[in-house]
Amino acid sequence: MSLKKFTMEKIIWTFVMLLLSELCAGQNILPPGPLSGAVADRVVFSTTLTPPASPFLSINWNFKGVNIITSTSSNIIDPGYASRISLDRSTGSLELRNLVLQDGGEYTLTITPDGGLQTQGRIVLNVYTPITGATIRSAAAVLIEEESSTNLTCEASGSVSSREWMKDGHLLQAGHTISFSADNSTVSLHPVFSSSHGTYQCRVSNPVSAQTAVLQLTVSYGPYNVSIIGPSAASSGDRVILHCLAASVPPANFSWMFNGSETHINSSLYVIERFQAQNSGDYSCTAMNTVTMRENSTVLNLRGKEKMFK
């Protein structure tokens, strides 16, 4: 044998042995995983193998020491899996149905090809109970800004992997008055402010399902920014409407005074049907919040317009 021929055969043999060594170790026979499945659902353990020219001599799937299925010229299936599995003999892929939590763990696939070395691969399956019944519970029924505190607790049934909190469509973050429990299930607002008022969302999820719970949190505040919208001057005979506004939750109650005297008008509107000289003066609007028991006032000075003579 020539040296050149011997060297070429040695190179080819080394390449084949390396290839078989990698195959035997199970590299790329199964994807890296893990796989995720839902209780009562199905999952497919797909291999990366292409159907060989000659059928595999044997295929074996093992889970926690139990041979789920051994396939040669016939299939031997463990009784506990008899109605739950299907095997694709051309690739070694396995379908497992009607999943239960106990199906979670590491699975081992061993394949013996026709005329080749035995190959093996491993993959982990995680089984989750789907998320249901997601809700947010508040610890306090009535909240007053700067006086009250509360905890918002996100609850759900199923295998909870993560919780994400949002407020008014934006990610809720910890701060001076906002803190989260270790498992993110509870948000503490201590104390609450007018800015705490709004829509809170908690997205509960795992790899196979997710639900979003919503809570409209009401924080009583105000009244703030009391103002009167209306003219500062009117002509004789004009119909004048004064409108009192205030930032308040719940909506404020209003009362009016004219030149320091009660008017017994208790709405946001003060209407003068026909303005006369005696209607000139100071109109005071007081806004009152019946929950916070706070009030604020503002004054509008209304004067008559001087007549223009030609």
Side-chain angles (χ1 to χ4, degrees):
M1 181 183 296
S2 67
L3 179 61
K4 182 177 180 180
K5 183 178 180 182
F6 175 78
T7 302
M8 182 59 67
E9 288 181 352
K10 185 176 181 181
I11 292 173
I12 294 172
W13 176 250
T14 301
F15 176 76
V16 169
M17 290 303 294
L18 286 172
L19 183 63
L20 290 175
S21 175
E22 288 186 358
L23 189 62
C24 185
Q27 294 184 5
N28 300 325
I29 294 174
L30 289 170
L35 290 179
S36 297
V39 169
D41 207 345
R42 57 183 284 277
V43 70
V44 176
F45 298 89
S46 298
T47 70
T48 58
L49 301 174
T50 56
S54 299
F56 296 121
L57 293 182
S58 68
I59 301 171
N60 175 263
W61 279 95
N62 185 282
F63 176 63
K64 294 182 179 179
V66 175
N67 289 323
I68 297 173
I69 181 171
T70 299
S71 179
T72 53
S73 56
S74 61
N75 293 336
I76 301 175
I77 302 174
D78 182 87
Y81 294 87
S83 61
R84 297 207 295 141
I85 61 173
S86 298
L87 179 69
D88 182 351
R89 275 209 106 258
S90 65
T91 62
S93 298
L94 181 75
E95 178 185 77
L96 177 59
R97 299 179 293 275
N98 299 323
L99 292 174
V100 294
L101 290 174
Q102 291 75 16
D103 287 327
E106 186 179 71
Y107 290 75
T108 302
L109 168 64
T110 303
I111 291 181
T112 304
D114 185 12
L117 297 178
Q118 189 178 81
T119 63
Q120 193 174 82
R122 301 176 186 276
I123 192 169
V124 172
L125 170 66
N126 294 322
V127 181
Y128 302 88
T129 303
I131 301 293
T132 58
T135 59
I136 300 175
R137 177 172 48 84
S138 176
V142 178
L143 298 171
I144 299 175
E145 65 164 345
E146 300 182 23
E147 295 182 11
S148 306
S149 298
T150 190
N151 293 330
L152 305 182
T153 301
C154 183
E155 300 173 335
S157 298
S159 307
V160 177
S161 297
S162 67
R163 292 179 176 88
E164 182 181 64
W165 288 89
M166 307 278 287
K167 179 183 179 293
D168 298 330
H170 301 284
L171 186 66
L172 189 63
Q173 297 181 335
H176 181 62
T177 62
I178 301 175
S179 61
F180 296 86
S181 62
D183 62 356
N184 224 38
S185 64
T186 300
V187 175
S188 296
L189 306 176
H190 182 77
V192 294
F193 293 93
S194 58
S195 58
S196 306
H197 183 92
T199 303
Y200 289 78
Q201 294 178 313
C202 176
R203 186 176 187 274
V204 189
S205 64
N206 60 34
V208 299
S209 63
Q211 275 196 355
T212 299
V214 179
L215 174 70
Q216 180 66 40
L217 188 70
T218 299
V219 177
S220 298
Y221 62 86
Y224 298 134
N225 305 322
V226 181
S227 62
I228 298 174
I229 299 176
S232 59
S235 298
S236 179
D238 286 350
R239 187 173 190 264
V240 178
I241 299 176
L242 304 181
H243 188 188
C244 191
L245 301 174
S248 178
V249 173
N253 293 334
F254 298 97
S255 61
W256 293 85
M257 296 183 72
F258 174 58
N259 290 334
S261 299
E262 293 287 348
T263 65
H264 305 292
I265 294 176
N266 298 305
S267 70
S268 63
L269 297 180
Y270 190 108
V271 180
I272 304 170
E273 292 297 341
R274 292 180 60 85
F275 181 80
Q276 302 296 330
Q278 63 266 29
N279 298 123
S280 296
D282 293 331
Y283 290 82
S284 174
C285 173
T286 298
M288 169 71 177
N289 187 316
T290 57
V291 176
T292 66
M293 302 306 294
R294 299 169 187 169
E295 63 180 37
N296 273 307
S297 301
T298 190
V299 176
L300 174 72
N301 182 259
L302 178 61
R303 296 299 177 192
K305 290 182 181 179
E306 294 183 5
K307 292 185 177 180
M308 301 295 293
F309 296 96
K310 294 184 179 180

